[in-house]
Amino acid sequence: MKLIVGLGNPGPKYAGTRHNVGFDVIDYLAAGPGVGAFREKFEALVAEMKEGDETVLLVKPLTFMNLSGRAVRAILDFYKVPVENVLVVCDDFNLPLGKLRVRTKGSHGGQNGLRNIQEQLGTDGYTRLRMGVGQPAVGDAVDHVLSKFKPGERAAVEDAIAGAAQAGLVWVRQGAEACMNKFNGGDDKEKPKKEKKPKPDGAKAEDKKPGANG
């Protein structure tokens, strides 16, 4: 069994906001053929999907973003699912609009849903798929993520939601490495080159700084 968890806030007030793109990806997957109806359990909406012989649970936590880990923890405990069988889809305002990035571990990066999941699970060893929602003005992060997309952004967002759903299916079928190779573009392949480039001794410390936030 595998879990694809989309993060967001429940209720019509938050529908269509930047913070809810994780829910949007789950809804996109749930609209596919052979997916069961959502049922409310484990403080979440859960639908079952079959991918070949694999059972996949599509999960939308109903605890609000900051407590998303409660639902994830409850489902893992009940079904005895290992952490590495979890993919979490969420927004990221540090990425350009529509950009996808897949990681198998690492910091929550200030994303409160990921923060709570890592607190509840006691590990960062799950896969996360971040979707760029555009950068806020300085000091405007909360208002930005709770705002709706502008009309001019909708096409890019809809393409990104479809791409993220496809990434989830690749993760289920082929694993995290194949998913990263296909959907991270050239980003991950460029970083090692940058670290190997510096030749002068005085340049080494400076060259390491730009990659520190990746």
Side-chain angles (χ1 to χ4, degrees), residues 106-143:
S107 164
H108 52 70
Q111 213 285 350
N112 287 330
L114 295 184
R115 186 199 306 272
N116 189 250
I117 288 171
Q118 290 180 203
E119 289 173 354
Q120 290 284 337
L121 301 185
T123 178
D124 65 352
Y126 60 92
T127 303
R128 72 290 315 268
L129 193 170
R130 299 175 186 264
M131 182 174 140
V133 295
Q135 293 189 325
V138 176
D140 191 33
V142 174
D143 288 341

Side-chain angles (χ1 to χ4, degrees), residues 131-179:
M131 182 174 140
V133 295
Q135 293 189 325
V138 176
D140 191 33
V142 174
D143 288 341
H144 179 72
V145 297
L146 293 180
S147 69
K148 294 182 184 291
F149 291 101
K150 298 173 184 176
E153 297 175 317
R154 284 307 314 176
V157 172
E158 288 168 7
D159 286 348
I161 289 169
Q166 184 60 37
L169 295 178
V170 170
W171 172 79
V172 170
R173 296 166 184 162
Q174 301 175 39
E177 187 171 349
C179 187

Side-chain angles (χ1 to χ4, degrees), residues 50-72:
K50 281 287 187 181
E51 272 297 308
D53 295 331
E54 187 76 71
T55 298
V56 182
L57 297 185
L58 304 176
V59 181
K60 297 195 295 183
L62 296 175
T63 52
F64 287 91
M65 183 69 75
N66 292 1
L67 296 174
S68 299
R70 289 204 323 220
V72 178

Side-chain angles (χ1 to χ4, degrees), residues 1-3 42 54-55 57 71-86 121:
M1 176 178 283
K2 292 185 175 180
L3 268 64
F42 306 111
E54 187 76 71
T55 298
L57 297 185
V72 178
R73 174 81 272 171
I75 294 171
L76 293 191
D77 286 348
F78 184 84
Y79 290 105
K80 311 301 181 189
V81 177
V83 171
E84 56 268 26
N85 281 14
V86 177
L121 301 185

Side-chain angles (χ1 to χ4, degrees), residues 201-212:
D201 289 341
K204 289 182 180 178
E206 292 179 1
D207 285 339
K208 287 181 181 177
K209 289 180 183 176

